[in-house]
Amino acid sequence: TITWINPSAITYGTPLSATQLNASANVPGTLTYTPDVGQILNAGTGQTLTVNFVPTDTARYNNAAKSVTINVLKATPSITWANTVDITYGTALSATQLNASTGVSGTFIYTPASGTVLNVGNGQTLSVNFVPTDAANYNNASQNVTINVLKATPTITWSNPADITYGTAL
């Protein structure tokens, strides 16, 4: 008799281990799993795990097999994006500020978008929504950071005026 219950759900990227592949038999023998230890399953519900059992005493016991199901949940990518350094009013947002990253391929959508000039103010929110290319195994992810926009110092341009004669009104 093989004893094996449906294992708890795992997240995509988690290799199968003895935690999931933990069948036992009531007599000595060899358990062989399909898929085997170390395999990474795609996300999905009700995926079949199978064990084949070959008893040590083949004269008295038959081979046996059993299947269970496991749910593999989509993974949510971790986004790395630190609060950016202060900028001065008039500076358009660019890749210098909009520089989130993750170890998963996909598209970053920033709000506000690149090229936007923010008003003066501290703690303004920059947001990113990440859409993974592999939507079958990964969820979308999002993150916010803050930025301070400092007042700009105007530049005054004034050339020395031409000489005038005493008595000439300015």
Side-chain angles (χ1 to χ4, degrees):
T1 302
I2 297 174
T3 304
W4 193 17
I5 61 171
N6 292 340
S8 298
I10 58 175
T11 302
Y12 172 73
T14 303
L16 291 174
S17 70
T19 302
Q20 296 81 36
L21 307 178
N22 59 358
S24 63
N26 62 341
V27 296
T30 302
L31 297 164
T32 305
Y33 295 95
T34 305
D36 202 0
V37 170
Q39 294 294 309
I40 295 175
L41 302 176
N42 286 323
T45 58
Q47 297 189 54
T48 303
L49 303 176
T50 303
V51 65
N52 288 307
F53 175 72
V54 177
T56 303
D57 182 356
T58 56
R60 294 189 185 123
Y61 298 99
N62 291 318
N63 293 354
K66 182 170 181 160
S67 294
V68 295
T69 60
I70 188 169
N71 296 328
V72 180
L73 309 173
K74 288 183 178 185
T76 300
S78 176
I79 297 174
T80 302
W81 193 22
N83 288 340
T84 185
V85 297
D86 297 350
I87 59 174
T88 303
Y89 176 75
T91 303
L93 293 175
S94 68
T96 302
Q97 296 81 33
L98 307 178
N99 59 357
S101 64
T102 184
V104 176
S105 61
T107 304
F108 292 94
I109 302 164
Y110 293 97
T111 304
S114 182
T116 301
V117 175
L118 299 174
N119 288 322
V120 172
N122 290 331
Q124 297 186 56
T125 301
L126 302 178
S127 300
V128 67
N129 185 37
F130 176 73
V131 180
T133 302
D134 181 1
N137 289 311
Y138 291 99
N139 293 310
N140 290 1
S142 60
Q143 185 172 337
N144 295 332
V145 296
T146 60
I147 188 169
N148 298 324
V149 180
L150 308 175
K151 291 180 180 180
T153 302
T155 303
I156 300 173
T157 304
W158 189 10
S159 301
N160 288 335
D163 294 342
I164 58 173
T165 304
Y166 176 75
T168 303
L170 292 179

